[in-house]
Amino acid sequence: MDTRFNSFYSETPHSFVEAMNSFLAEAGIRMLRPSVVSDYVYLNQTRKFHEDAELMRHIAEQVIERRKASSSSRKDLVNAMLYEKDPVTDKSLPHSSVIDNMITFLIAGQYVSVFQRARLTEVGHETTSGLLSFIIYCLVTHPAAMEKGRDEVMSVLGNGAMTQNMASKLPYMMGIIRETLRLYPTAPGFTVQPRSTNPEDYPIHIGKEQYVVRQGEAVSVQIATVHRDPAVYGDDAESFRPERMLDDEFEKLPKNSWKPFGNGARACIGRALALQEAVIMMALLLQNFDFELADPNYELKIRKTITIKPVGLQIRVKLRDGLTPATLQRKLLGGKAPPSGSGRTSSQQTKRSDSPLDSVDLRKLLICYGSNTGTCQTLAHVLSRDAVAHGFDPTIMIMDKVQPHHITPSTPIVIVAASYEGQPPENASKFIKWLQALTESPFEGIYHAVYGCGNRDWAATFQRIPALVDDAFIRYGSTPIVNRAASDVADGNVANEFDHWADGVLWPALKKLYFPGVSARSFDISRSGIRIFQCPRTSDILPDGRMATIEDGQSLTAPGEPQKRQLTIRLPPTMTYRAGDHIAIVPANHHDTVKQVMNRFQLAHDTKIITTCGEERSVYTHLRDLVELNHVATEKNIRAIIETVPNSNKSDNSSIPKGLSALQILQKLPTATLPFADYLDMLPPMRPRRYSISSSPLADPTICTLTYSVLEHMSTLSDGTTNVFHGAGSTYLAGLCRNDRLHVSVQPSPIAFHLPEDPGDPIVMVCAGSGLAPFLGFVHERAQLRSSGAKLAPALLFIGCRHPDRDMLYSSQLQDLASSAGVKLFYAFSRAESQSKGCEYVQDRLKKERKLVVDAVGLRNGRGKMYVCGGLRVLEGVASVMKQAYVEFEGADGVGADEWWEAFRADGERFASEVFD
Ligand SMILES: Cc1cc2nc3c(=O)[nH]c(=O)nc-3n(C[C@H](O)[C@H](O)[C@H](O)COP(=O)(O)O)c2cc1C
C-alpha cells in the first residue's frame, strides 16, 4: 500500500491504530446495548465512535489518493480494487467500496511485533497478532508441544530461510494453530439471522426445538463455546492438544464444529492468508527464538472487544543457540550466517548438522579430566559449558575413557587432572599407564593444554600427574597450546584461578590458533541457550551405581551438637568392598535450598523446563537432582549477578563475602534481576559424593555402614533474616529412612589406605570427628580377624571430639569393640580437656603419648604404619608432632626431621591419609 504505520519503531501507535482500537472496543460494547441507548444515552461514546470511523476512512482515502497519484502499475490488492473490472458485469468497484475494503485490510493487517522490541514485550493486537499471542501462550505453557513444533520446523527449515512451499510441510504447526484457534478464536463470535421476509415462515425452531427465533431476531453464536463442546471434542475439550487437529483428525470433525473464521459467504476473506501468515511467522519464531513466560505464575486473562486478546501476557524472548541479531538478520534475508573472515578451509571445519549452531562453524575440542573428589571434573564441565561460545564443539571424558583414536590433529585436547600421593586419580590410572608405556611418538600434530589441581602440602609430589601428562605429550610430539597451569587448592581459590586461566589464557590462545582474524563477537553466543549441563541423569553421574536399600539411619550425637550420623546400607548382591574403601552416592539438594531458589526466581512448584536434549522436566526435579546449588560462585558469576543490580557499581564486588553460592548472593542482593536461565548456567552438574565405609565385610559382607557429619549452618540475608545452609550430600543421607533405595557404587581407596597385608605390623590411627569412619572399619576388621585366631600387632587409635557426653561416637560400644580388636583408644576432648589428660586436640594427645607412638610405628627403621583422617589441621598437627619426635628420639635436627617426614609420607607402605575440609 506504500504506507507504513511504523508500529515497530515508535513508542506511540499511529493515529489509525488508536482510532481502530477505540472504535473496535466501542463496537464490541454497542453490540450488547440497544441502539437507542447508544444513540441517546451514551452520547460521548457515540460521538467518539463516529469520529474514529471518520478518521480511519480519512486515512484510507489518503492511502488511495497517494496510490492514484503515483501511477504505480504494481500487481497488488490496491491496484486490483482501483482498476480491475468484474469479468461478468465489466464494472469497477465503487469508490466507497474501495475505501470500506481498504479499512478492512488495514485493520486486518495491523499487528504489533512481539519480538523486535525489548526483551519483555506485551503481546496482542487484532486477529492475527492476537492469534500469535495465544499460540505463544499455548506453547510456553505446553513445552512438549513447543518442542514437537520446533522439531518439525527444524527438520523442514534447518537453519535456512523459509521458502515458498515449506508452509505446507508443517502439519504439526498447522495443528497447533488450529487448536489455538479452537480454544481462543480471536474473533470470538458472529451473528446469524433468518433471511426470509415472509412472516409465515416464523417462528423458527432451532436446537432440537429448544429455541424459538421470531422474525427480526438474530442469533449470536459464541464460537469459543461451540469449540469446547465435549460431544465433539471429548472429555479433554478444554485441553490444548494439537494432535486432534492434524490433517486426518481435522477432516473428520463434524461440519460447523470449528468456525474461527466466521460463517457463510461473509466468513473471513483473509482466512488462507491469515493461516499462512501464522505458519510462516511461528516457524521463523520457533527456529530462532526461545520463549518463556516472564512471570511463570501468569494466569491467562482475556480482554474481549470485537476480538479477544490476552491481557498482561509478557514473554521473555531470547535468540536461540548461537544467533546474534546480526546473524539472524542475515539469515532472514536468505543468507547463511557464519563468522566472517575466519580464513579456514572447509576441511578444517566441523558443523553440528542437528543443531541451530550450523550457522557457526564449530571446531571439535576434547576435554578430559582425572578426578577423585570432583574438583577437576567440575572445572572440565565449566570449560565444556563455555566452549561453544568460543567456537568449539566440546566432548568431555574421564581420562581412562580416552582412546588413542580420540587424539587427532583436528581436535585440540585439554586435560584437567589431580594427583593423589603422587599417583593418578582412580579414573585416570589406565591413561597414565598408557602414557608411561609409550615408545613411539603418537602425538605429532596434536595441540594440547594441561591444567593441574594439586596441594602443596604434598610438596614432593605436588602436581606430579599434570606435569607427567604435559611432559609426555610434549615428548611424544604434541605442541602445548599454552604452558601447563597449576593451581594449589590449599589457597581456596581454584575456581577463580581456573576462570582467569580459561578466559584470559586458554580461550585467547585457542582463538589465535584456530580462528585468527575472527572477531570475538562472531561467537558471542548467549550461554543460556547452550545448557550442556542439563543433560546428565543419575546414570551419567554415577555410571556404575547400583540399587541399594537402607537398613537403618541414626544420630550419634546429642541434640544441639553438630550432627554425626550412621547409615546402614544393604548392598546390592555381589557388590563387595574392603575396610577403608568408600561408597559413592548421587546426592540431591535439600528441599529448603530448592525452595529458596524457586522463591528467589518466583517459580511455581510445577514449572517445567525443556532441556537442550529436548526432555521436558519439572524445574523442581532439575534443581534438586541435577545441579550443584551450593557451588561457590566464582568471581565471574558474582560479576554477572552484580551487572543485573540496578544502579550498582558493576566493577565492585567487594561487598560480597567470599565462599557464597550464587543463590546466597542473590538472596543478599534482592534487587538483582539475573535471568533464571543465566543462573542455571552458573551451576555445575551434580557430582557424586564419597563417604568412608565404617564397617568391615568380615562382619557381614552384605552390609556396610557410613559414619558421617551432617553439614548444616546458618547464613544471614541482607534483611537480617537467617536461613540454614544444607550440605547436599550429608543432608540427603540424613533424610533416608529404612527401606529407602539409593544408587551406590564402591570406590576403592588408594592401596595405602587399607590395613597392612601383614597383621603383625603395628598401626597408629589418628582422626577427628567423622574421620573416625574408616578406622571404625579397621577396628571391626581386626575384631573379626582376632576372633578367628589371627595374631595381631598392637594398634593405637587417637580420636578427637568435643565432649565425652555429647559427640563421643559409639562411646562404650567402641570401647568394647576396641578391646576385642586389640586396639588402644586415646581421646582428646576439646571441650572437656580435664577428661583427656589436659589435651585439647587429637594432635595434643598424640604428642602426650609420643613414646608409645614411636614404639609402635618406629621412626627411621620401623615397620609400623600410620593413618590420618580428618581436616588439614589434623594432618599438619600430626606432621609437627612426628617431626618433633624424630628430633627427640633420633637426635636429628629440623632439616633432617623435615626430610624424614617427607620420605615417610611419600612411602606408600608406612603412611596414608585422607584429608577433607
Ligand atoms: C589424600 C590426598 C593426597 C593428595 N596428594 C597430592 C599429591 O601428591 N600432589 C598434589 O599436587 N596434590 C595432592 N592432593 C591434592 C589433590 O590433588 C587436590 O585436592 C585436587 O584438587 C583434587 O582434585 P579432585 O577433586 O578432582 O580429585 C592430595 C589430596 C589428598 C586428599
Side-chain angles (χ1 to χ4, degrees):
M1 291 180 192
D2 310 327
T3 300
R4 295 182 74 103
F5 288 166
N6 285 333
S7 304
F8 291 148
Y9 315 116
S10 58
E11 284 301 318
T12 48
H14 188 277
S15 53
F16 180 92
V17 178
E18 273 179 340
M20 175 187 78
N21 275 338
S22 83
F23 174 85
L24 289 176
E26 177 63 11
I29 299 167
R30 285 170 85 85
M31 277 198 329
L32 306 174
R33 329 181 177 111
S35 57
V36 284
V37 176
S38 285
D39 291 346
Y40 295 103
V41 180
Y42 290 88
L43 294 175
N44 284 343
Q45 287 87 337
T46 301
R47 186 176 32 79
K48 178 81 172 56
F49 181 65
H50 290 301
E51 279 171 12
D52 289 336
E54 197 43 49
L55 182 82
M56 287 192 285
R57 180 165 286 276
H58 175 67
I59 292 170
E61 293 269 13
Q62 284 180 335
V63 173
I64 296 298
E65 287 313 315
R66 211 171 299 140
R67 172 56 69 88
K68 280 183 177 165
S70 77
S71 63
S72 159
S73 58
R74 273 160 68 162
K75 272 185 160 289
D76 66 8
L77 206 58
V78 182
N79 277 0
M81 288 196 296
L82 285 176
Y83 306 119
E84 296 292 323
K85 293 202 167 138
D86 186 314
V88 180
T89 62
D90 200 34
K91 285 187 179 163
S92 302
L93 268 184
H95 181 71
S96 61
S97 274
V98 174
I99 297 298
D100 288 346
N101 279 302
M102 195 70 212
I103 293 173
T104 306
F105 285 118
L106 285 173
I107 290 178
Q110 275 304 297
Y111 49 85
V112 169
S113 168
V114 183
F115 308 101
Q116 298 201 3
R117 291 198 177 192
R119 279 167 78 142
L120 286 178
T121 307
E122 180 152 352
V123 298
H125 211 318
E126 289 331 297
T127 45
T128 310
S129 68
L131 169 61
L132 292 171
S133 307
F134 282 118
I135 295 174
I136 289 170
Y137 170 77
C138 289
L139 292 183
V140 291
T141 52
H142 296 83
M146 171 135 72
E147 263 336 272
K148 237 169 147 176
R150 197 192 308 277
D151 284 351
E152 183 182 74
V153 167
M154 297 312 292
S155 70
V156 176
L157 273 72
N159 283 302
M162 182 105 189
T163 56
Q164 218 176 11
N165 60 351
M166 280 179 179
S168 61
K169 294 186 181 152
L170 299 169
Y172 192 79
M173 181 57 69
M174 186 54 92
I176 288 174
I177 293 166
R178 288 180 185 140
E179 179 71 344
T180 307
L181 279 168
R182 181 181 74 80
L183 290 171
Y184 308 107
T186 42
F190 53 82
T191 304
V192 285
Q193 198 167 6
R195 296 177 71 181
S196 173
T197 50
N198 181 0
E200 286 176 12
D201 290 342
Y202 294 92
I204 296 169
H205 295 269
I206 57 171
K208 295 188 183 151
E209 308 287 306
Q210 236 183 319
Y211 304 104
V212 178
V213 183
R214 294 179 192 84
Q215 189 171 16
E217 285 181 340
V219 176
S220 173
V221 181
Q222 299 301 309
I223 277 298
T225 313
V226 173
H227 282 179
R228 293 174 187 231
D229 184 354
V232 175
Y233 292 102
D235 290 342
D236 67 346
E238 297 290 330
S239 313
F240 176 77
R241 193 166 62 78
E243 285 72 13
R244 76 169 107 229
M245 288 293 181
L246 299 184
D247 289 347
D248 287 351
E249 298 300 310
F250 183 66
E251 299 304 328
K252 286 187 216 149
L253 286 177
K255 201 168 168 245
N256 292 330
S257 53
W258 187 80
K259 306 210 82 164
F261 293 99
N263 191 48
R266 296 281 168 193
C268 175
I269 192 174
R271 171 187 174 139
L273 178 69
L275 285 174
Q276 198 178 31
E277 218 172 29
V279 173
I280 294 171
M281 191 76 159
M282 283 314 303
L284 291 176
L285 291 174
L286 287 183
Q287 184 194 33
N288 297 302
F289 293 92
D290 282 323
F291 307 96
E292 63 182 25
L293 282 171
D295 171 6
N297 300 322
Y298 172 79
E299 278 175 29
L300 181 64
K301 286 192 206 70
I302 293 179
R303 184 183 300 139
K304 192 171 167 191
T305 55
I306 213 163
T307 58
I308 59 169
K309 52 202 117 189
V311 183
L313 170 61
Q314 295 197 320
I315 299 291
R316 200 181 291 278
V317 184
K318 277 196 170 183
L319 282 167
R320 297 195 71 225
D321 322 66
L323 282 170
T324 62
T327 53
L328 173 65
Q329 191 181 23
R330 202 177 320 165
K331 184 166 143 182
L332 292 178
L333 291 173
K336 220 169 156 288
S340 59
S342 70
R344 283 168 289 156
T345 63
S346 59
S347 64
Q348 285 175 301
Q349 297 169 0
T350 335
K351 290 177 195 167
R352 277 187 178 177
S353 56
D354 59 339
S355 141
L357 290 168
D358 261 4
S359 55
V360 177
D361 297 320
L362 298 178
R363 171 176 278 277
K364 286 202 177 300
L365 176 69
L366 179 60
I367 301 169
C368 41
Y369 62 88
S371 174
N372 275 359
T373 54
T375 316
C376 297
Q377 180 180 1
T378 299
L379 300 182
H381 275 279
V382 168
L383 212 56
S384 165
R385 189 194 60 197
D386 290 353
V388 181
H390 293 276
F392 288 88
D393 178 9
T395 302
I396 190 159
M397 278 185 190
I398 57 169
M399 284 163 80
D400 275 356
K401 284 262 161 15
V402 176
Q403 299 294 318
H405 70 262
H406 291 131
I407 306 173
T408 66
S410 61
T411 309
I413 173 169
V414 181
I415 299 145
V416 188
S419 319
Y420 283 86
E421 307 280 3
Q423 299 305 310
E426 282 143 31
N427 55 17
S429 56
K430 281 189 216 144
F431 185 80
I432 297 298
K433 267 197 195 125
W434 174 71
L435 278 185
Q436 289 177 314
L438 284 176
T439 48
E440 50 196 34
S441 292
F443 300 147
E444 288 298 339
I446 305 289
Y447 283 91
H448 78 280
V450 176
Y451 192 93
C453 289
N455 188 327
R456 241 176 245 287
D457 288 328
W458 281 267
T461 50
F462 180 59
Q463 297 282 344
R464 178 169 177 266
I465 296 302
L468 184 155
V469 172
D470 194 41
D471 290 349
F473 267 75
I474 294 170
R475 186 167 343 118
Y476 294 113
S478 175
T479 309
I481 301 162
V482 291
N483 289 337
R484 173 170 63 88
S487 248
D488 183 354
V489 295
D491 296 341
N493 198 27
V494 63
N496 291 324
E497 285 178 10
F498 187 79
D499 273 352
H500 287 147
W501 176 75
D503 293 345
V505 180
L506 180 72
W507 293 125
L510 280 167
K511 177 182 169 290
K512 202 166 157 199
L513 203 55
Y514 293 105
F515 306 116
V518 179
S519 83
R521 284 182 60 79
S522 301
F523 298 115
D524 183 14
I525 289 165
S526 150
R527 290 205 334 218
S528 53
I530 306 152
R531 296 185 201 150
I532 290 159
F533 62 86
Q534 290 189 357
C535 297
R537 298 152 205 272
T538 304
S539 56
D540 298 329
I541 300 172
L542 192 63
D544 51 353
R546 289 172 56 204
M547 187 82 89
T549 311
I550 303 300
E551 288 279 310
D552 182 39
Q554 65 182 92
S555 179
L556 302 171
T557 41
E561 287 299 316
Q563 206 186 161
K564 313 260 182 315
R565 294 181 65 90
Q566 174 178 297
L567 192 70
T568 308
I569 301 171
R570 180 163 295 282
L571 294 172
T574 72
M575 188 176 269
T576 56
Y577 72 95
R578 292 174 67 190
D581 282 347
H582 297 154
I583 283 282
I585 59 125
V586 180
N589 288 303
H590 194 275
H591 171 70
D592 289 352
T593 317
V594 177
K595 251 179 68 181
Q596 285 171 31
V597 175
M598 299 192 64
N599 288 345
R600 179 61 180 77
F601 287 96
Q602 298 182 358
L603 302 171
H605 181 84
D606 51 1
T607 307
K608 299 254 169 80
I609 53 172
I610 294 268
T611 69
T612 42
C613 313
E615 188 185 323
E616 182 179 310
R617 184 181 294 154
S618 112
V619 78
Y620 181 87
T621 317
H622 185 85
L623 291 172
R624 188 193 56 195
D625 296 343
L626 291 167
V627 284
E628 294 281 352
L629 298 183
N630 292 334
H631 179 69
V632 174
T634 62
E635 284 167 9
K636 198 166 149 185
N637 299 154
I638 297 172
R639 275 198 303 277
I641 294 174
I642 291 179
E643 288 269 329
T644 69
V645 177
N647 305 324
S648 65
N649 177 355
K650 311 287 184 220
S651 57
D652 179 18
N653 59 11
S654 56
S655 60
I656 307 294
K658 297 256 176 297
L660 298 186
S661 67
L663 170 65
Q664 288 172 312
I665 295 169
L666 285 165
Q667 286 171 329
K668 283 188 185 299
L669 300 174
T671 55
T673 55
L674 186 79
F676 181 57
D678 293 359
Y679 170 72
L680 285 182
D681 276 344
M682 293 178 180
L683 308 175
M686 185 64 92
R687 59 183 172 78
R689 304 292 196 277
R690 296 168 61 129
Y691 293 89
S692 288
I693 295 175
S694 57
S695 54
S696 157
L698 297 188
D700 181 348
T702 66
I703 292 284
C704 81
T705 63
L706 308 181
T707 303
Y708 62 97
S709 305
V710 181
L711 200 63
E712 273 178 338
H713 59 78
M714 303 296 277
S715 99
T716 307
L717 304 185
S718 58
D719 59 0
T721 56
T722 50
N723 63 17
V724 183
F725 170 87
H726 304 277
S730 58
T731 56
Y732 171 66
L733 290 185
L736 294 172
C737 309
R738 184 175 167 73
N739 289 332
D740 281 351
R741 305 289 173 126
L742 87 162
H743 281 95
V744 301
S745 90
V746 169
Q747 308 277 314
S749 44
I751 308 274
F753 212 94
H754 292 101
L755 282 171
E757 290 294 313
D758 183 348
D761 290 345
I763 60 170
V764 173
M765 299 165 275
V766 188
C767 65
S770 56
L772 173 64
F775 303 145
L776 199 59
F778 289 176
V779 178
H780 276 293
E781 183 121 330
R782 281 177 60 102
Q784 293 297 323
L785 289 169
R786 220 169 177 221
S787 71
S788 56
K791 290 256 170 298
L792 302 179
L796 314 180
L797 173 51
F798 291 83
I799 304 172
C801 58
R802 289 181 170 197
H803 195 283
D805 300 334
R806 309 209 49 88
D807 65 345
M808 189 175 159
L809 305 183
Y810 304 102
S811 53
S812 57
Q813 193 193 337
L814 179 58
Q815 307 274 358
D816 294 347
L817 183 70
S819 77
S820 51
V823 176
K824 263 187 113 173
L825 300 181
F826 300 91
Y827 280 95
F829 301 119
S830 59
R831 309 245 166 123
E833 294 165 39
S834 59
Q835 297 184 53
S836 53
K837 298 198 170 172
C839 300
E840 189 179 7
Y841 297 115
V842 68
Q843 51 269 39
D844 303 332
R845 190 67 202 260
L846 191 74
K847 188 171 177 187
K848 189 157 212 76
E849 313 294 346
R850 61 188 181 282
K851 178 77 178 73
L852 279 177
V853 173
V854 167
D855 286 347
V857 176
L859 294 175
R860 205 193 299 259
N861 298 314
R863 52 189 284 236
K865 182 163 182 179
M866 191 166 206
Y867 302 86
V868 179
C869 187
L872 197 56
R873 279 177 51 198
V874 175
L875 179 64
E876 286 166 356
V878 170
S880 157
V881 171
M882 293 307 287
K883 285 192 243 178
Q884 283 172 31
Y886 192 80
V887 171
E888 183 180 341
F889 295 104
E890 297 285 349
D893 60 9
V895 176
D898 284 347
E899 282 170 5
W900 168 77
W901 173 249
E902 281 311 324
F904 178 72
R905 219 173 107 160
D907 177 350
E909 300 292 310
R910 305 276 318 270
F911 181 84
S913 65
E914 268 188 18
V915 181
F916 49 84
D917 252 334

